[in-house]
Amino acid sequence: MAQGRSNADIAATLVLSERAIAKHINNIFTKLDLPPAGDVNRRVLAVLRFLRQA
């Protein structure tokens, strides 16, 4: 996600299904307390939190 890759690209790189990637990403959103919101991109927020801690 931090590299701007789509779920399909991540799945191909890791040799996993897109569904598995979607589940993992949703688990990340849950752990980061990022609920779905219409006007917010959770992927961007998750990456920003990652970068702040690096």
Side-chain angles (χ1 to χ4, degrees):
M1 280 186 350
Q3 295 175 345
R5 295 179 181 217
S6 67
N7 286 3
D9 193 32
I10 295 169
T13 301
L14 298 176
V15 192
L16 295 170
S17 69
E18 286 186 55
R19 184 174 171 164
I21 297 303
K23 286 182 180 181
H24 286 294
I25 290 174
N26 280 325
N27 286 338
I28 291 169
F29 293 153
T30 299
K31 288 180 182 181
L32 293 176
D33 192 29
L34 296 172
D39 61 340
V40 177
N41 188 322
R42 295 186 300 167
R43 290 175 82 97
V44 172
L45 292 177
V47 170
L48 288 173
R49 287 194 188 176
F50 168 76
L51 292 174
R52 283 187 202 126
Q53 294 189 10

